[in-house]
Structures are given as structure tokens and as C-alpha cells.
Amino acid sequence: MLSAAVQILAFALALLGVLGATVATLLPNWKVSVNAWSSIMTPISQMQGLWADCVWYSSGVFSCTMKDSVLSLPPSLQMMRAGMVLCCVVAAFGLCLGSLGLKCTRWGGSQRAKGHTAMAAGGCFVLASLLCLVPAALFTNEVITAFLTTDLPDSSKYQPGGALCVTFIAAGFLLAGGVIFCLSCPGSRSAGPDIDYIKV
């Protein structure tokens, strides 16, 4: 029963990771403009994401421009897009496998088959966490490098936005869920007691 409870915990962590990665992929605030040294009296916030660039005026108007042309985007941004989309797809597939590998469910076959399925689900979650972590790290590095460039005006500088924080947290949830799933499999323990349990 303890192993089943651990698997449920891992599934819940992975589910939070999938939701976080999906939300972060769609959010437009991967980087936010810095106006701390600006002389503009009317406050304005400029945000850039993977799919759209948005502007939030002090009057409350929120306007977004979609990045429709894929060929006009930088190769790094295209790679980050692909990484986040693959992360969501792989993690969703891992959830499907994880639901079959849970010991507390009746579907999924025998306990040995459930163990193999849970191991595959854990591998999907770990892979999804890497696919989520790499784009976030590269994007953060680009933002910080551009911010530290002294020849850029302050109005053209950006800082990491809230979507990057959500991305890192989602990657952590996916990694934790994947590792716990893999460690909860019967193959990670001694074979004798598990074989007797499977035959019951």
C-alpha cells in the first residue's frame, strides 16, 4: 500500500508539471520590459513570449501580436517552441502510461506489466522535464545576456518573466514525478518478495 501511495504522489506531481508546462507554453510573459530608469510618465509593460508579443498600457488596454510567421523567427525561438510542445506531448503520454501503471487501479494488466508501464511513464516524465528545462534555461540565458549588454538603451532591456518561473517549477515537478515513478517499480527492489506478491 505504501508503494501505491508513493505512485499516487508521483502521478499528482507529474500532473501538476504537465499543467504548469502547458500554461507556461501559452503565457506571453517569458520576458518583461524593464522601465525602472525610463523617463516616460505613463507606465507601460511590454511582454514577449513564444507565440505572441503583448503590450499592457496604463489605461488597461492589453494588446497582443501573434508570431504567425515561423520562417521569420530566430532559430533559437523555433527550437524553444518545439521543445515546449514536445514536453507537453511526452508528458501527456506519460500521464496515460502512468494511469495504467498505478497499482491502485484495476486496468493495466498484471502487477509485473504495471511495473514496466510505470517505469516507462517515469522515463517519459524525466524526458519531458529535460525538454522543458532546456528551453527555459536557454531563454533565461538570452534575456540575462541582453540585459547586461551596456550598449542597449534601458527601454530595450527585458528581465525574465513569470512564465519562466512557472516553466522551471513545472520541470521540477515532472522530474520529481518521473524519478519517484521509476523508484516505485518492482524491478528496483529485490526480486523474491515481488514475485510472490505478483502471483497472489
PDB file of all heavy atoms in Angstrom, residues 82-112:
ATOM      1  N   ALA A  82       9.541  24.223 -30.189  1.00  0.00           N
ATOM      2  CA  ALA A  82       9.472  22.774 -30.416  1.00  0.00           C
ATOM      3  C   ALA A  82       9.724  22.010 -29.122  1.00  0.00           C
ATOM      4  O   ALA A  82       9.049  21.007 -28.835  1.00  0.00           O
ATOM      5  CB  ALA A  82      10.483  22.364 -31.494  1.00  0.00           C
ATOM      6  N   GLY A  83      10.678  22.484 -28.314  1.00  0.00           N
ATOM      7  CA  GLY A  83      10.964  21.803 -27.060  1.00  0.00           C
ATOM      8  C   GLY A  83       9.789  21.815 -26.103  1.00  0.00           C
ATOM      9  O   GLY A  83       9.475  20.794 -25.481  1.00  0.00           O
ATOM     10  N   MET A  84       9.113  22.951 -25.983  1.00  0.00           N
ATOM     11  CA  MET A  84       7.982  23.038 -25.062  1.00  0.00           C
ATOM     12  C   MET A  84       6.793  22.225 -25.559  1.00  0.00           C
ATOM     13  O   MET A  84       6.095  21.571 -24.766  1.00  0.00           O
ATOM     14  CB  MET A  84       7.582  24.496 -24.868  1.00  0.00           C
ATOM     15  CG  MET A  84       8.605  25.342 -24.119  1.00  0.00           C
ATOM     16  SD  MET A  84       9.024  24.686 -22.490  1.00  0.00           S
ATOM     17  CE  MET A  84       7.433  24.783 -21.663  1.00  0.00           C
ATOM     18  N   VAL A  85       6.555  22.236 -26.867  1.00  0.00           N
ATOM     19  CA  VAL A  85       5.453  21.432 -27.408  1.00  0.00           C
ATOM     20  C   VAL A  85       5.738  19.949 -27.213  1.00  0.00           C
ATOM     21  O   VAL A  85       4.857  19.174 -26.799  1.00  0.00           O
ATOM     22  CB  VAL A  85       5.233  21.769 -28.898  1.00  0.00           C
ATOM     23  CG1 VAL A  85       4.239  20.798 -29.521  1.00  0.00           C
ATOM     24  CG2 VAL A  85       4.724  23.198 -29.047  1.00  0.00           C
ATOM     25  N   LEU A  86       6.973  19.521 -27.488  1.00  0.00           N
ATOM     26  CA  LEU A  86       7.338  18.122 -27.275  1.00  0.00           C
ATOM     27  C   LEU A  86       7.243  17.751 -25.800  1.00  0.00           C
ATOM     28  O   LEU A  86       6.841  16.634 -25.459  1.00  0.00           O
ATOM     29  CB  LEU A  86       8.749  17.866 -27.794  1.00  0.00           C
ATOM     30  CG  LEU A  86       8.922  17.780 -29.303  1.00  0.00           C
ATOM     31  CD1 LEU A  86      10.396  17.619 -29.673  1.00  0.00           C
ATOM     32  CD2 LEU A  86       8.109  16.627 -29.887  1.00  0.00           C
ATOM     33  N   CYS A  87       7.591  18.688 -24.925  1.00  0.00           N
ATOM     34  CA  CYS A  87       7.468  18.435 -23.489  1.00  0.00           C
ATOM     35  C   CYS A  87       6.026  18.130 -23.111  1.00  0.00           C
ATOM     36  O   CYS A  87       5.749  17.170 -22.387  1.00  0.00           O
ATOM     37  CB  CYS A  87       7.989  19.643 -22.720  1.00  0.00           C
ATOM     38  SG  CYS A  87       7.528  19.682 -20.973  1.00  0.00           S
ATOM     39  N   CYS A  88       5.102  18.950 -23.601  1.00  0.00           N
ATOM     40  CA  CYS A  88       3.689  18.741 -23.276  1.00  0.00           C
ATOM     41  C   CYS A  88       3.174  17.418 -23.840  1.00  0.00           C
ATOM     42  O   CYS A  88       2.426  16.686 -23.168  1.00  0.00           O
ATOM     43  CB  CYS A  88       2.858  19.909 -23.803  1.00  0.00           C
ATOM     44  SG  CYS A  88       3.245  21.505 -23.054  1.00  0.00           S
ATOM     45  N   VAL A  89       3.596  17.081 -25.061  1.00  0.00           N
ATOM     46  CA  VAL A  89       3.137  15.840 -25.685  1.00  0.00           C
ATOM     47  C   VAL A  89       3.688  14.624 -24.950  1.00  0.00           C
ATOM     48  O   VAL A  89       2.953  13.676 -24.621  1.00  0.00           O
ATOM     49  CB  VAL A  89       3.534  15.811 -27.174  1.00  0.00           C
ATOM     50  CG1 VAL A  89       3.233  14.450 -27.785  1.00  0.00           C
ATOM     51  CG2 VAL A  89       2.814  16.910 -27.948  1.00  0.00           C
ATOM     52  N   VAL A  90       4.994  14.627 -24.674  1.00  0.00           N
ATOM     53  CA  VAL A  90       5.619  13.495 -23.984  1.00  0.00           C
ATOM     54  C   VAL A  90       5.060  13.349 -22.577  1.00  0.00           C
ATOM     55  O   VAL A  90       4.800  12.236 -22.105  1.00  0.00           O
ATOM     56  CB  VAL A  90       7.151  13.673 -23.963  1.00  0.00           C
ATOM     57  CG1 VAL A  90       7.808  12.598 -23.098  1.00  0.00           C
ATOM     58  CG2 VAL A  90       7.712  13.605 -25.373  1.00  0.00           C
ATOM     59  N   ALA A  91       4.856  14.472 -21.882  1.00  0.00           N
ATOM     60  CA  ALA A  91       4.313  14.405 -20.529  1.00  0.00           C
ATOM     61  C   ALA A  91       2.875  13.897 -20.523  1.00  0.00           C
ATOM     62  O   ALA A  91       2.486  13.123 -19.637  1.00  0.00           O
ATOM     63  CB  ALA A  91       4.388  15.783 -19.876  1.00  0.00           C
ATOM     64  N   ALA A  92       2.073  14.319 -21.496  1.00  0.00           N
ATOM     65  CA  ALA A  92       0.696  13.818 -21.589  1.00  0.00           C
ATOM     66  C   ALA A  92       0.687  12.315 -21.867  1.00  0.00           C
ATOM     67  O   ALA A  92      -0.135  11.566 -21.297  1.00  0.00           O
ATOM     68  CB  ALA A  92      -0.058  14.565 -22.684  1.00  0.00           C
ATOM     69  N   PHE A  93       1.604  11.858 -22.727  1.00  0.00           N
ATOM     70  CA  PHE A  93       1.720  10.413 -22.972  1.00  0.00           C
ATOM     71  C   PHE A  93       2.154   9.688 -21.705  1.00  0.00           C
ATOM     72  O   PHE A  93       1.680   8.581 -21.415  1.00  0.00           O
ATOM     73  CB  PHE A  93       2.712  10.165 -24.102  1.00  0.00           C
ATOM     74  CG  PHE A  93       2.867   8.721 -24.479  1.00  0.00           C
ATOM     75  CD1 PHE A  93       1.828   8.026 -25.073  1.00  0.00           C
ATOM     76  CD2 PHE A  93       4.056   8.054 -24.247  1.00  0.00           C
ATOM     77  CE1 PHE A  93       1.960   6.687 -25.421  1.00  0.00           C
ATOM     78  CE2 PHE A  93       4.203   6.722 -24.586  1.00  0.00           C
ATOM     79  CZ  PHE A  93       3.155   6.034 -25.172  1.00  0.00           C
ATOM     80  N   GLY A  94       3.043  10.327 -20.931  1.00  0.00           N
ATOM     81  CA  GLY A  94       3.443   9.732 -19.665  1.00  0.00           C
ATOM     82  C   GLY A  94       2.292   9.619 -18.679  1.00  0.00           C
ATOM     83  O   GLY A  94       2.214   8.653 -17.910  1.00  0.00           O
ATOM     84  N   LEU A  95       1.383  10.604 -18.687  1.00  0.00           N
ATOM     85  CA  LEU A  95       0.206  10.510 -17.819  1.00  0.00           C
ATOM     86  C   LEU A  95      -0.671   9.320 -18.196  1.00  0.00           C
ATOM     87  O   LEU A  95      -1.212   8.631 -17.322  1.00  0.00           O
ATOM     88  CB  LEU A  95      -0.601  11.804 -17.896  1.00  0.00           C
ATOM     89  CG  LEU A  95      -0.051  13.029 -17.162  1.00  0.00           C
ATOM     90  CD1 LEU A  95      -0.965  14.218 -17.366  1.00  0.00           C
ATOM     91  CD2 LEU A  95       0.126  12.741 -15.676  1.00  0.00           C
ATOM     92  N   CYS A  96      -0.819   9.102 -19.496  1.00  0.00           N
ATOM     93  CA  CYS A  96      -1.610   7.940 -19.941  1.00  0.00           C
ATOM     94  C   CYS A  96      -0.971   6.637 -19.472  1.00  0.00           C
ATOM     95  O   CYS A  96      -1.658   5.736 -18.971  1.00  0.00           O
ATOM     96  CB  CYS A  96      -1.746   7.960 -21.459  1.00  0.00           C
ATOM     97  SG  CYS A  96      -2.656   9.368 -22.117  1.00  0.00           S
ATOM     98  N   LEU A  97       0.357   6.536 -19.627  1.00  0.00           N
ATOM     99  CA  LEU A  97       1.047   5.335 -19.165  1.00  0.00           C
ATOM    100  C   LEU A  97       0.993   5.231 -17.641  1.00  0.00           C
ATOM    101  O   LEU A  97       0.832   4.134 -17.093  1.00  0.00           O
ATOM    102  CB  LEU A  97       2.501   5.356 -19.631  1.00  0.00           C
ATOM    103  CG  LEU A  97       2.754   5.208 -21.132  1.00  0.00           C
ATOM    104  CD1 LEU A  97       4.237   5.301 -21.435  1.00  0.00           C
ATOM    105  CD2 LEU A  97       2.196   3.890 -21.654  1.00  0.00           C
ATOM    106  N   GLY A  98       1.128   6.382 -16.965  1.00  0.00           N
ATOM    107  CA  GLY A  98       1.100   6.357 -15.518  1.00  0.00           C
ATOM    108  C   GLY A  98      -0.229   5.895 -14.953  1.00  0.00           C
ATOM    109  O   GLY A  98      -0.272   5.192 -13.944  1.00  0.00           O
ATOM    110  N   SER A  99      -1.322   6.272 -15.608  1.00  0.00           N
ATOM    111  CA  SER A  99      -2.637   5.826 -15.138  1.00  0.00           C
ATOM    112  C   SER A  99      -2.787   4.315 -15.277  1.00  0.00           C
ATOM    113  O   SER A  99      -3.495   3.683 -14.490  1.00  0.00           O
ATOM    114  CB  SER A  99      -3.740   6.544 -15.916  1.00  0.00           C
ATOM    115  OG  SER A  99      -3.673   6.211 -17.295  1.00  0.00           O
ATOM    116  N   LEU A 100      -2.114   3.733 -16.274  1.00  0.00           N
ATOM    117  CA  LEU A 100      -2.138   2.276 -16.429  1.00  0.00           C
ATOM    118  C   LEU A 100      -1.203   1.577 -15.455  1.00  0.00           C
ATOM    119  O   LEU A 100      -1.432   0.426 -15.077  1.00  0.00           O
ATOM    120  CB  LEU A 100      -1.763   1.896 -17.867  1.00  0.00           C
ATOM    121  CG  LEU A 100      -2.707   2.360 -18.973  1.00  0.00           C
ATOM    122  CD1 LEU A 100      -2.139   1.994 -20.338  1.00  0.00           C
ATOM    123  CD2 LEU A 100      -4.087   1.743 -18.791  1.00  0.00           C
ATOM    124  N   GLY A 101      -0.127   2.270 -15.072  1.00  0.00           N
ATOM    125  CA  GLY A 101       0.857   1.641 -14.196  1.00  0.00           C
ATOM    126  C   GLY A 101       0.580   1.798 -12.717  1.00  0.00           C
ATOM    127  O   GLY A 101       1.308   1.216 -11.902  1.00  0.00           O
ATOM    128  N   LEU A 102      -0.429   2.557 -12.340  1.00  0.00           N
ATOM    129  CA  LEU A 102      -0.743   2.715 -10.919  1.00  0.00           C
ATOM    130  C   LEU A 102      -1.207   1.394 -10.323  1.00  0.00           C
ATOM    131  O   LEU A 102      -2.062   0.705 -10.887  1.00  0.00           O
ATOM    132  CB  LEU A 102      -1.821   3.786 -10.732  1.00  0.00           C
ATOM    133  CG  LEU A 102      -1.413   5.236 -10.994  1.00  0.00           C
ATOM    134  CD1 LEU A 102      -2.623   6.150 -10.885  1.00  0.00           C
ATOM    135  CD2 LEU A 102      -0.326   5.675 -10.015  1.00  0.00           C
ATOM    136  N   LYS A 103      -0.668   1.059  -9.177  1.00  0.00           N
ATOM    137  CA  LYS A 103      -1.034  -0.212  -8.535  1.00  0.00           C
ATOM    138  C   LYS A 103      -2.443  -0.181  -7.956  1.00  0.00           C
ATOM    139  O   LYS A 103      -3.020  -1.244  -7.700  1.00  0.00           O
ATOM    140  CB  LYS A 103      -0.036  -0.528  -7.423  1.00  0.00           C
ATOM    141  CG  LYS A 103       1.361  -0.807  -7.921  1.00  0.00           C
ATOM    142  CD  LYS A 103       2.302  -1.124  -6.774  1.00  0.00           C
ATOM    143  CE  LYS A 103       3.706  -1.406  -7.284  1.00  0.00           C
ATOM    144  NZ  LYS A 103       4.647  -1.722  -6.184  1.00  0.00           N
ATOM    145  N   CYS A 104      -2.990   0.991  -7.735  1.00  0.00           N
ATOM    146  CA  CYS A 104      -4.322   1.089  -7.137  1.00  0.00           C
ATOM    147  C   CYS A 104      -5.433   0.972  -8.171  1.00  0.00           C
ATOM    148  O   CYS A 104      -6.611   1.039  -7.813  1.00  0.00           O
ATOM    149  CB  CYS A 104      -4.448   2.408  -6.373  1.00  0.00           C
ATOM    150  SG  CYS A 104      -4.244   3.877  -7.413  1.00  0.00           S
ATOM    151  N   THR A 105      -5.110   0.821  -9.441  1.00  0.00           N
ATOM    152  CA  THR A 105      -6.124   0.703 -10.487  1.00  0.00           C
ATOM    153  C   THR A 105      -6.271  -0.757 -10.914  1.00  0.00           C
ATOM    154  O   THR A 105      -5.371  -1.578 -10.710  1.00  0.00           O
ATOM    155  CB  THR A 105      -5.744   1.555 -11.709  1.00  0.00           C
ATOM    156  OG1 THR A 105      -4.463   1.142 -12.211  1.00  0.00           O
ATOM    157  CG2 THR A 105      -5.657   3.024 -11.322  1.00  0.00           C
ATOM    158  N   ARG A 106      -7.403  -1.061 -11.524  1.00  0.00           N
ATOM    159  CA  ARG A 106      -7.689  -2.425 -11.954  1.00  0.00           C
ATOM    160  C   ARG A 106      -7.264  -2.688 -13.397  1.00  0.00           C
ATOM    161  O   ARG A 106      -7.185  -3.845 -13.813  1.00  0.00           O
ATOM    162  CB  ARG A 106      -9.194  -2.720 -11.814  1.00  0.00           C
ATOM    163  CG  ARG A 106      -9.683  -2.717 -10.369  1.00  0.00           C
ATOM    164  CD  ARG A 106     -11.161  -3.062 -10.291  1.00  0.00           C
ATOM    165  NE  ARG A 106     -11.631  -3.092  -8.911  1.00  0.00           N
ATOM    166  CZ  ARG A 106     -11.570  -4.162  -8.127  1.00  0.00           C
ATOM    167  NH1 ARG A 106     -11.042  -5.281  -8.588  1.00  0.00           N
ATOM    168  NH2 ARG A 106     -12.021  -4.112  -6.893  1.00  0.00           N
ATOM    169  N   TRP A 107      -7.050  -1.612 -14.168  1.00  0.00           N
ATOM    170  CA  TRP A 107      -6.643  -1.812 -15.551  1.00  0.00           C
ATOM    171  C   TRP A 107      -5.121  -1.777 -15.648  1.00  0.00           C
ATOM    172  O   TRP A 107      -4.436  -1.319 -14.737  1.00  0.00           O
ATOM    173  CB  TRP A 107      -7.276  -0.751 -16.445  1.00  0.00           C
ATOM    174  CG  TRP A 107      -6.981   0.659 -16.016  1.00  0.00           C
ATOM    175  CD1 TRP A 107      -5.847   1.379 -16.214  1.00  0.00           C
ATOM    176  CD2 TRP A 107      -7.846   1.513 -15.270  1.00  0.00           C
ATOM    177  NE1 TRP A 107      -5.935   2.621 -15.673  1.00  0.00           N
ATOM    178  CE2 TRP A 107      -7.149   2.744 -15.079  1.00  0.00           C
ATOM    179  CE3 TRP A 107      -9.139   1.380 -14.759  1.00  0.00           C
ATOM    180  CZ2 TRP A 107      -7.714   3.814 -14.387  1.00  0.00           C
ATOM    181  CZ3 TRP A 107      -9.679   2.452 -14.075  1.00  0.00           C
ATOM    182  CH2 TRP A 107      -8.984   3.637 -13.905  1.00  0.00           C
ATOM    183  N   GLY A 108      -4.605  -2.234 -16.775  1.00  0.00           N
ATOM    184  CA  GLY A 108      -3.164  -2.200 -16.984  1.00  0.00           C
ATOM    185  C   GLY A 108      -2.496  -3.549 -16.948  1.00  0.00           C
ATOM    186  O   GLY A 108      -1.280  -3.644 -17.126  1.00  0.00           O
ATOM    187  N   GLY A 109      -3.258  -4.629 -16.706  1.00  0.00           N
ATOM    188  CA  GLY A 109      -2.673  -5.967 -16.725  1.00  0.00           C
ATOM    189  C   GLY A 109      -2.180  -6.403 -15.360  1.00  0.00           C
ATOM    190  O   GLY A 109      -2.613  -5.909 -14.317  1.00  0.00           O
ATOM    191  N   SER A 110      -1.226  -7.323 -15.368  1.00  0.00           N
ATOM    192  CA  SER A 110      -0.685  -7.875 -14.131  1.00  0.00           C
ATOM    193  C   SER A 110       0.200  -6.856 -13.427  1.00  0.00           C
ATOM    194  O   SER A 110       0.537  -5.807 -13.967  1.00  0.00           O
ATOM    195  CB  SER A 110       0.125  -9.141 -14.445  1.00  0.00           C
ATOM    196  OG  SER A 110       1.233  -8.819 -15.268  1.00  0.00           O
ATOM    197  N   GLN A 111       0.608  -7.218 -12.201  1.00  0.00           N
ATOM    198  CA  GLN A 111       1.467  -6.320 -11.441  1.00  0.00           C
ATOM    199  C   GLN A 111       2.827  -6.148 -12.125  1.00  0.00           C
ATOM    200  O   GLN A 111       3.417  -5.064 -12.080  1.00  0.00           O
ATOM    201  CB  GLN A 111       1.659  -6.868 -10.026  1.00  0.00           C
ATOM    202  CG  GLN A 111       0.406  -6.803  -9.157  1.00  0.00           C
ATOM    203  CD  GLN A 111      -0.034  -5.377  -8.901  1.00  0.00           C
ATOM    204  OE1 GLN A 111       0.787  -4.480  -8.790  1.00  0.00           O
ATOM    205  NE2 GLN A 111      -1.345  -5.164  -8.821  1.00  0.00           N
ATOM    206  N   ARG A 112       3.324  -7.215 -12.764  1.00  0.00           N
ATOM    207  CA  ARG A 112       4.592  -7.092 -13.482  1.00  0.00           C
ATOM    208  C   ARG A 112       4.449  -6.137 -14.673  1.00  0.00           C
ATOM    209  O   ARG A 112       5.321  -5.293 -14.921  1.00  0.00           O
ATOM    210  CB  ARG A 112       5.057  -8.465 -13.961  1.00  0.00           C
ATOM    211  CG  ARG A 112       6.406  -8.441 -14.676  1.00  0.00           C
ATOM    212  CD  ARG A 112       6.798  -9.848 -15.111  1.00  0.00           C
ATOM    213  NE  ARG A 112       7.002 -10.689 -13.957  1.00  0.00           N
ATOM    214  CZ  ARG A 112       8.164 -10.785 -13.298  1.00  0.00           C
ATOM    215  NH1 ARG A 112       9.191 -10.047 -13.677  1.00  0.00           N
ATOM    216  NH2 ARG A 112       8.281 -11.599 -12.278  1.00  0.00           N
TER     217      ARG A 112
END
